[in-house]
């Protein structure tokens, strides 16, 4: 049994999509949803599926083994970041080499890096008058948005598009591709 743990800081629509997808796949289970924000809606979503949740502080993540201990306790073998805001510390990177995936809502290396999260990314795309945006699914390393790319998909950006319009298009790509890309990594 492959056990997935999902890290999220916000609404968790990607997390829920991944949970639903793997409910239909034998041999893979989402066993834990973790968040650094106790008010994250992702925690409510996880409860709906009776998936255990774990909330931690930035300090606990960076300076203790609490998160790692919990992941080990549940035998999580792959970590999925879905709108997770904090940098993954070195102790997790060492224990999960090439087993931590992130999704970024732009075509990296464009509009990536510290502070480039959610709507900030889509605003940046519109301000830059980009004609294309999309998603990047990549391995996580010690730098924001710099691990090896696994998959990219694109969507057109019209000159009339608002950041909210771009967000909708990018979210569609996320829904379609993120679970499938995770599944393909798991089957390697
Ligand atoms: C998603 O669009 C994800 O790509 C983005 O945050 C959103 C979370 O939405 N991630 C980043 O910006 C990472 N730098 P969700 O909470 O509804 O899944």
């Amino acid at each position: 049994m492959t056990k997935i743990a999902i890290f999220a800081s916000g609404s968790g629509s990607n997390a829920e999509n991944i949970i639903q997808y793997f409910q239909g796949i034998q041999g893979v289970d989402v066993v834990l949803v973790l968040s650094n924000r106790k008010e994250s809606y992702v925690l409510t979503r996880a409860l709906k599926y009776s998936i255990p949740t774990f909330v931690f502080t930035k300090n606990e993540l960076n300076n203790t083994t609490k998160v790692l201990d919990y992941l080990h306790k549940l035998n999580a073998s792959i970590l999925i970041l879905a709108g997770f805001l904090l940098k993954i510390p070195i102790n997790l990177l060492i224990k999960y080499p090439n087993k931590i995936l992130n999704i970024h809502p732009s075509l990296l290396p464009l509009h990536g890096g510290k502070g480039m999260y959610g709507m900030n990314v889509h605003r940046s795309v519109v301000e830059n008058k980009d004609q294309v945006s999309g998603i990047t699914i990549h391995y996580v390393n010690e730098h924001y948005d710099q691990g090896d790319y696994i998959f990219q998909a694109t969507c057109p950006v019209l000159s009339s598009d608002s950041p909210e319009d771009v967000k909708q298009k990018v979210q569609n790509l996320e829904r379609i591709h993120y679970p499938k890309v995770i599944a393909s990594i798991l089957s390697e």
Side-chain angles (χ1 to χ4, degrees), residues 10-15 45 82-84 102-105 116-118 121-122 145 170-171 174-175:
S11 153
S13 64
N14 275 286
R45 294 190 200 256
F84 184 61
N102 182 41
I103 189 162
H104 186 81
M116 279 305 202
Y117 173 81
V121 176
H122 308 307
D145 304 326
V170 167
Q171 277 188 334
E174 294 183 336
R175 301 282 173 285

Side-chain angles (χ1 to χ4, degrees), residues 152-171:
Q152 290 188 307
T154 63
C155 57
V157 179
L158 309 178
S159 55
S160 55
D161 278 350
S162 66
E164 189 58 44
D165 295 329
V166 179
K167 177 183 168 184
Q168 296 301 329
K169 293 179 187 182
V170 167
Q171 277 188 334

Side-chain angles (χ1 to χ4, degrees), residues 84-95:
F84 184 61
L85 273 179
L86 302 178
K87 214 185 249 187
I88 295 295
I90 198 79
N91 68 335
L92 286 184
L93 292 171
I94 288 170
K95 293 288 180 189

